[in-house]
Amino acid sequence: MDRITVAGSTAFQPSAGYDYMENNCIEEPSKLCEFKKLNGRILKTVDSVYQDVASVDECRELCLNSPYRCHSYDYGDTGEMVCRLSHHSRATLSDIQEPYLDVPEAATYELSSCYNVSIECRAGDMVARIQTSKLFDGKMYAKGSPNSCVRDVNNSLEFELTMQYDNLECNVRKNGLGRYVNDVVIQHHDKIVTSSDLGLAVTCQYDLTNKSVTNEVDLGVHGDISPALSEEVTVDSPNVAMKITDRKGEDIMQSAEVGDPLALKFEILDKNSPYEIFVRELVAMDGVDSSEIVLIDSNGCPTDHFIMGPIYKSAKSGKILLSHFDAFKFPSSEVVQFRALVTPCMPSCEPVQCDQEDISGERRSAVSYGKRRRRRSVSSSAAHDDMLLVQSIQITDKFGFDKGANRSSSGSEAVYIADGGLCVNVAGLIVAATIFLSAQLAIIAAWTFIWQRRKFNSKLSHQDTMSAVSVSMPPASRADSLCKLYDAGYTHQRRF
C-alpha cells in the first residue's frame, strides 16, 4: 500500500517520530486507465516536459508509458504543443503548500485508477479477474443480473467473478460454435451506476483440440452528453415544481446518460408568493425493485457530495433552489425516481451548515438550504405541511452493450468466417435463402401443372385411337391401366 492505493480513505495518517518512504518505480496496472479533469489549475513544477506533442491523447500515452509512476499531465497550457508530466496527484500533495497555479483556461488530467483485466476460460465456466492500482470498494456483476450474479468487493486490489456456462442467472450467451460471451460491469457505488464505472465485454472461444482466450474491453464512460426524459410534477399551496435541468437551471433535459452534468431545480412558480422553500429527505429510487439511496438527509445535508452536492439558492431568485449532480442509474433499471419533502417558510428559510470533504480530502463546511422545519408559532394562514414532490427520469449507461444487439435485430449484423476469410451478412443470407426456396417451389408447381396437362392430352389421344380401330383384342383390365399410369408417372418423377 501507499498514498496512491489508499487515496480517498483515512488509512494514511500523520505519526510523530516516523518517516514514510514511498517507492516511485514499482510496476502497477496500466491497461485500462481513467483520468479525471481538474479545471483551472496546473502544477507549478513537473518531472518531464515534452515539446512538439501532436495531441492531448499523445500526451496521455506519454504519461502511461513513462519510466516512473506518472499520475498527472497537462497539455498546451504552458506553450503550444507542450506536454508536462508529474508523479504527483492530489493524494500526494497534502504536505506541499500551494502546489498549483490558478489558470482559468488550463486543466490538469489526474490519474484516477487503472485496471488490468484477464479472462480464464475453463471447462464449465469463465472467470474475469481484475487487478487495480487503487483500493476498490464496490461490486462486480454480470450486466442484466446485478443481484443474482454478483461479487461484493471490500477494499481490495484484486477480485474476480466466476460465470458458469449453464447458469442462467449469469446470462452467459453462446455466440456461435464454441464461443461464449458476456457483459460485466465494475461498479464503484453499492447501489447506483456512475461515470466512474467500467463495462467489460468478455469472450471465451473453444475449438476441438485446445482453447484460446480473447477479451474485449469497452470503457463505456466516453461519448457526447445526451439529454433526459423528464416529467414536471406540480403541487399546490404554494405551487412548487421539481425539474431536472442543466447546471444553470435553465434547459429541462429530455434524456441523459450516466455522468452527464445535471441539476435538480425546486421552484415556486408564483413569482409574487411570499414564501421560500427548503428541501430535506431527498431520495433516489429504482423504478423496478424499489432500491433507494438517500441523497439529502433529514437535516438537509448531502449524504455523499460525490453523488449530489448541497442545495443552494439560485442567483436569479430566492424562490429557486438548485443542487448539482452527475447523472447516475441503478443496475437493474434505466428509470430513476427522485422523491423529496419540500417545506415552505416565511419570510425566508434558514440554511444549515454541512460538513463535507473537498477535493483534497479535507473537511470543510458548506451551506445547504435543506433543513428540518423550525418549530415556531405561526398563524394558521401561514402554516403549511410538508409537500412530497416526485420526479422520474430515464438514464442510460454508456457501456454500449446493447448497440450490437440492436444492429443484429435490424438485420445488419455481419459474421466473419475465419477459415475462408469471408464476411457474410446474416440478413442478406436469410433473404437469399428465402428467394431460392420460393423459386424452387414455383418451378415444382409449374412442372406439376405441365405434367398433368400432358397426361390429360395423352389420355384423350389414346381414347380417340381406340375408337378408330376394330376391337379385336380383349380390353385391358383396370389394374393394367393403373400400372401403365403409375409407370408413366414414375418415369417422369425419376427424370425430375
Side-chain angles (χ1 to χ4, degrees), residues 253-270:
M253 311 302 289
Q254 299 300 321
S255 62
E257 287 184 345
V258 170
D260 291 352
L262 303 176
L264 267 180
K265 180 180 179 181
F266 301 87
E267 180 180 9
I268 298 179
L269 300 180
D270 185 4

Side-chain angles (χ1 to χ4, degrees), residues 401-410:
F401 291 137
D402 298 332
K403 295 179 180 179
N406 293 336
R407 289 194 299 268
S408 176
S409 62
S410 63

Side-chain angles (χ1 to χ4, degrees), residues 172-411:
V172 178
R173 303 180 301 278
K174 186 175 181 180
N175 185 10
L177 184 61
R179 180 181 173 88
Y180 297 88
V181 298
N182 205 3
D183 303 324
V184 177
V185 176
I186 300 176
Q187 181 175 305
H188 292 74
H189 196 275
D190 186 54
K191 293 185 178 180
I192 60 176
V193 180
T194 66
S195 58
S196 300
D197 300 334
L198 297 179
L200 309 175
V202 296
T203 303
C204 279
Q205 178 72 51
Y206 293 88
D207 57 30
L208 296 178
T209 56
N210 53 24
K211 59 184 179 181
S212 60
V213 183
T214 61
N215 65 285
E216 303 168 0
V217 180
D218 182 6
L219 187 57
V221 292
H222 56 276
D224 297 330
I225 295 176
S226 302
L229 176 64
S230 64
E231 179 183 354
E232 181 177 331
V233 178
T234 306
V235 296
D236 297 327
S237 301
N239 291 329
V240 181
M242 177 170 62
K243 306 174 184 178
I244 298 172
T245 67
D246 57 14
R247 286 293 172 88
K248 296 181 180 179
E250 297 177 354
D251 297 331
I252 298 177
M253 311 302 289
Q254 299 300 321
S255 62
E257 287 184 345
V258 170
D260 291 352
L262 303 176
L264 267 180
K265 180 180 179 181
F266 301 87
E267 180 180 9
I268 298 179
L269 300 180
D270 185 4
K271 304 301 180 183
N272 299 321
S273 173
Y275 295 97
E276 289 187 357
I277 54 174
F278 57 77
V279 180
R280 59 185 176 88
E281 297 183 17
L282 175 61
V283 179
M285 298 180 295
D286 186 359
V288 174
D289 59 5
S290 299
S291 299
E292 65 178 40
I293 176 175
V294 179
L295 304 176
I296 303 295
D297 60 19
S298 59
N299 294 322
C301 292
T303 58
D304 190 340
H305 71 280
F306 290 107
I307 300 177
M308 177 161 286
I311 300 175
Y312 68 95
K313 283 187 178 181
S314 171
K316 297 180 179 180
S317 172
K319 303 183 185 302
I320 299 177
L321 299 181
L322 295 172
S323 181
H324 292 172
F325 70 100
D326 291 337
F328 60 86
K329 65 182 290 293
F330 292 89
S332 58
S333 173
E334 292 186 350
V335 177
V336 179
Q337 186 180 80
F338 293 96
R339 182 188 65 195
L341 287 179
V342 176
T343 304
C345 47
M346 189 175 65
S348 62
C349 297
E350 296 288 338
V352 63
Q353 296 291 329
C354 303
D355 292 332
Q356 66 179 28
E357 291 185 0
D358 60 12
I359 58 176
S360 62
E362 298 180 356
R363 300 195 65 83
R364 61 182 179 86
S365 180
V367 173
S368 178
Y369 280 87
K371 188 177 182 181
R372 185 180 298 277
R373 181 173 54 186
R374 180 179 296 175
R375 302 298 181 183
R376 61 178 183 271
S377 177
V378 295
S379 63
S380 59
S381 61
H384 288 270
D385 295 329
D386 293 341
M387 296 175 291
L388 178 64
L389 270 64
V390 180
Q391 177 65 279
S392 297
I393 182 174
Q394 182 174 352
I395 299 178
T396 59
D397 57 39
K398 297 185 178 181
F399 299 140
F401 291 137
D402 298 332
K403 295 179 180 179
N406 293 336
R407 289 194 299 268
S408 176
S409 62
S410 63

